[in-house]
């Protein structure tokens, strides 16, 4: 999936990178997803298919086609997350709404083997800055299950506001799960951007 006009081929901050998906990511995607079932499955949308059956190399191709369709329609901005140039996760700005709202929802996951190294906070900060500066979005929302403390730490480290509690919000891991809502607007991170805030927080 080549970058769209105005999209950089890669965004990078130290060893952490964001880039478009590639068809040749199939093996890496499958390997990382299969290795992280215990780490990821409880936070994933409900599926009737076993984890191994929906994370084969061949399953990536349908995901890739779906992402391409969403990009063409302007509904999503999907990124591969890399660490030292290796595929370690995904970050998607989805449900993009234009007009008076100019908003999107962020979702992400990362390989447990690089968790705790600041990979996802850095990736999310880069994606938010890109969405505000180049994609003309005004607001990014993240909704997280209350018990997902590691994911909540990501947005709290970056200064997202906790704005609400959504009972039985999404069907996750076999049931309707409550979520906590966080958000940022472009005014919250102006003028320097979210990545600059994150750099400062890591130094202090």
């Amino acid at each position: 999936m080549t970058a769209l006009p105005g999209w950089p081929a890669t965004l990078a901050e130290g060893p952490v990178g964001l880039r478009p998906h590639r068809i040749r990511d199939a093996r890496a995607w499958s390997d990382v997803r299969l290795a992280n079932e215990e780490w990821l499955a409880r936070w994933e949308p409900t599926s009737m298919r076993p984890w191994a059956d929906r994370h084969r190399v061949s399953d990536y191709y349908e995901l890739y086609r779906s992402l391409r369709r969403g990009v063409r329609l302007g509904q999503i901005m999907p990124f591969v997350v890399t660490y030292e140039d290796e595929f370690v996760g995904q970050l998607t700005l989805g449900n993009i709404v234009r007009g008076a709202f100019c908003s999107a929802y962020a979702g992400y996951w990362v390989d447990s083997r690089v968790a705790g190294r600041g990979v996802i906070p850095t990736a999310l900060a880069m994606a938010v800055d890109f969405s505000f500066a180049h994609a003309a979005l005004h607001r990014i929302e993240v909704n997280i299950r209350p018990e997902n403390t590691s994911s909540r730490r990501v947005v709290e480290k970056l200064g997202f506001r906790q704005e609400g509690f959504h009972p039985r919000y999404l069907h996750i891991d076999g049931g309707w799960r409550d979520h906590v809502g966080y958000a940022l607007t472009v005014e919250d991170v102006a003028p320097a951007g979210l990545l600059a805030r994150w750099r400062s927080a890591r130094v202090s």
Side-chain angles (χ1 to χ4, degrees):
M1 187 184 305
T2 56
L4 293 177
W7 284 37
T10 303
L11 296 166
E13 173 72 9
V16 180
L18 287 178
R19 62 165 175 79
H21 290 71
R22 300 167 181 161
I23 196 71
R24 62 180 180 272
D25 288 326
R27 171 58 64 185
W29 173 85
S30 177
D31 288 348
V32 173
R33 295 288 292 181
L34 290 173
N36 282 272
E37 178 179 1
E38 185 176 351
W39 172 253
L40 297 174
R42 57 186 165 158
W43 314 118
E44 297 274 326
T46 301
S47 174
M48 300 303 293
R49 296 172 62 197
W51 188 266
D53 288 354
R54 53 193 163 102
H55 291 102
R56 298 167 298 187
V57 170
S58 58
D59 292 304
Y60 178 80
Y61 302 120
E62 177 53 37
L63 170 66
Y64 182 80
R65 288 190 291 269
S66 176
L67 294 175
R68 283 177 60 90
R69 286 194 298 271
V71 169
R72 286 197 302 269
L73 293 170
Q75 297 170 340
I76 60 172
M77 289 190 289
F79 298 95
V80 167
V81 180
T82 63
Y83 184 77
E84 296 180 344
D85 296 322
E86 297 293 327
F87 186 118
V88 296
Q90 293 173 265
L91 188 155
T92 301
L93 301 179
N95 293 332
I96 295 173
V97 178
R98 295 292 181 176
F101 200 31
C102 284
S103 180
Y105 293 89
Y108 46 81
W109 63 266
V110 70
D111 189 334
S112 62
R113 292 167 289 192
V114 298
R117 303 184 193 182
V119 175
I120 286 296
T122 302
L124 182 57
M126 289 192 291
V128 168
D129 283 349
F130 176 78
S131 73
F132 289 162
H134 300 288
L137 292 181
H138 176 253
R139 176 184 174 87
I140 301 295
E141 300 185 31
V142 184
N143 293 290
I144 304 169
R145 286 176 58 181
E147 61 271 36
N148 191 346
T149 54
S150 59
S151 190
R152 294 182 69 179
R153 279 197 297 270
V154 168
V155 294
E156 289 166 359
K157 286 175 183 177
L158 292 173
F160 277 72
R161 287 186 307 278
Q162 183 175 326
E163 291 194 337
F165 181 78
H166 311 305
R168 300 171 296 282
Y169 184 66
L170 292 172
H171 207 276
I172 302 292
D173 190 32
W176 290 103
R177 311 298 183 182
D178 299 341
H179 283 66
V180 179
Y182 294 85
L184 272 179
T185 65
V186 66
E187 292 87 356
D188 295 322
V189 298
L194 188 56
L195 185 59
R197 176 192 287 182
W198 172 231
R199 289 190 192 117
S200 178
R202 299 190 80 180
V203 170
S204 59

